[in-house]
Amino acid sequence: MFILGGTASNGIDIHIARSLGADLGKVETTKFPDGEIKVRVPEINDNRIAIVQSTYYPQEKNLFELLLAAYALKEKNAQVTAVIPYLAYARQNRSFYPGEATSVNLVLDMLRCAGVSSLVTVNPHRSGPLMYFGGKIGITNAEITLAGWVKEHLSSPLVLAPDKGSLDMAKGASSVMKCDYTYIEKHRDTYGTVSIEKAHGGDFRGKDVVIFDDIISTGSTIEQATRYAYSEGAATVSAAGIHLVMAGGAVEKLKNAGVQRIFGTNTIPCEKAEIVDVSEDIAESIRKLSREIGS
Ligand code: R5P
């Protein structure tokens, strides 16, 4: 297999190529005078190619670069795997309000149309909707690696899931960290305001609470969970997010709420957090997927 790194691979392409013992090349991206991007792939003497491109901000540019690279390879009849550490547009997996487009389906359709036959991604917001893709999918669950690393930094941890959707992740993290977990249920209104709807117990007193979530975007979810944890007697509160989107003033919001440390992974670059490399987890997913495909 040949590894082709896009401009938004955040170094993960290099680690994966090393881990798989594969050759590495780079997508060359330039711009036309009008701002449209132009993509060129190198000559590759391998029919199986994995393009590594995360789709963090600017999402449309990074996504389109990936699509163009895949399409260039499709024209060469290559078997293309898209390795997308952070998959943008995955949270809109249905019409929450009438008239809204299900963006994840469009992204998956576009990938197929561009010639992508298999997909590897890290902690998608929900894995069920990805089945719409129709091809083989490898999902990396990075919370185990993240939790193993967070564990080294907290002395009396308690894992908190800030909503029901993060409960499995919290369970997995707590088993690695050998500590208890609990969760709260949140409500987000039409304006995006987050509030705590229901708590499910747990002894927070004197604990180093660490809130595990798949995505930290505006920071509102972690902010409310942090305030709740302190109100229950937590000694410290930290945040652990797989994908640190950190939109707008999210870092300041977290700090103002009393979040002491922000842990995350390298699916998205973030200078304001303590980052653990999950490239090896992704490489393992690619190996597994290759075995399933039989290539
Ligand atoms: C939602 O269900 C996700 O798991 C995250 O909790 C959410 O995306 C975080 O968004 P924000 O940081 O804007 O509250």
Side-chain angles (χ1 to χ4, degrees):
M1 175 176 276
F2 187 93
I3 305 298
L4 186 59
T7 58
S9 60
N10 198 27
I12 292 175
D13 54 341
I14 300 169
H15 291 263
I16 290 176
R18 203 175 295 145
S19 175
L20 299 181
D23 287 332
L24 173 70
K26 284 284 183 186
V27 174
E28 192 187 298
T29 302
T30 49
K31 267 191 181 173
F32 286 106
D34 63 359
E36 290 179 0
I37 61 167
K38 176 178 178 172
V39 158
R40 187 154 177 243
V41 298
E43 274 303 318
I44 301 169
N45 292 322
D46 196 327
N47 193 41
R48 298 165 314 137
I49 300 164
I51 309 174
V52 184
Q53 175 83 332
S54 207
T55 52
Y56 47 77
Y57 180 84
Q59 298 89 333
E60 292 78 16
K61 181 244 162 205
N62 290 333
L63 178 62
F64 204 60
E65 179 186 301
L66 167 64
L67 293 167
L68 287 174
Y71 197 66
L73 297 171
K74 181 183 182 181
E75 289 172 343
K76 292 170 186 275
N77 294 318
Q79 185 187 321
V80 178
T81 300
V83 179
I84 312 177
Y86 170 64
L87 180 63
Y89 288 99
R91 278 182 288 176
Q92 181 92 42
N93 52 34
R94 63 187 170 90
S95 287
F96 297 100
Y97 295 98
E100 289 179 348
T102 307
S103 59
V104 69
N105 288 357
L106 175 63
V107 169
L108 296 171
D109 271 342
M110 289 195 295
L111 288 168
R112 288 295 274 184
C113 175
V116 173
S117 56
S118 52
L119 170 66
V120 172
T121 191
V122 180
N123 291 80
H125 181 57
R126 299 268 180 276
S127 50
L130 295 194
M131 299 310 137
Y132 177 83
F133 177 64
K136 284 275 183 196
I137 300 180
I139 291 179
T140 302
N141 290 313
E143 66 269 21
I144 301 301
T145 297
L146 180 58
W149 187 66
V150 170
K151 182 173 182 264
E152 306 300 318
H153 298 85
L154 302 178
S155 52
S156 183
L158 171 71
V159 172
L160 174 63
D163 54 33
K164 229 174 166 179
S166 300
L167 188 52
D168 284 344
M169 182 183 296
K171 280 183 194 166
S174 71
S175 73
V176 173
M177 297 175 72
K178 306 213 179 326
C179 68
D180 289 335
Y181 69 89
T182 185
Y183 73 108
I184 50 186
E185 287 178 66
K186 76 175 183 206
H187 171 73
R188 192 190 293 268
D189 69 19
T190 43
Y191 303 103
T193 308
V194 173
S195 56
I196 309 268
E197 208 165 53
K198 196 171 172 194
H200 292 267
D203 188 0
F204 289 69
R205 290 169 300 173
K207 295 287 185 191
D208 296 314
V209 172
V210 54
I211 306 163
F212 268 81
D213 208 351
D214 58 340
I215 296 171
I216 305 178
S217 181
T218 64
S220 297
T221 301
I222 300 287
E223 177 190 32
Q224 292 310 317
T226 300
R227 296 195 193 286
Y228 173 77
Y230 279 125
S231 75
E232 289 292 305
T236 69
V237 178
S238 299
I242 305 289
H243 307 293
L244 301 181
V245 172
M246 297 302 188
V251 173
E252 289 65 36
K253 195 183 273 182
L254 264 51
K255 294 287 175 198
N256 290 340
V259 172
Q260 303 210 339
R261 302 176 79 156
I262 304 171
F263 301 101
T265 80
N266 57 336
T267 62
I268 299 178
C270 180
E271 286 171 6
K272 303 276 175 55
E274 301 173 55
I275 299 293
V276 67
D277 183 2
V278 294
S279 306
E280 189 46 42
D281 299 87
I282 301 173
E284 191 47 41
S285 295
I286 298 172
R287 273 189 208 99
K288 194 167 164 242
L289 193 73
S290 298
R291 283 194 296 271
E292 283 173 23
I293 296 169
S295 58

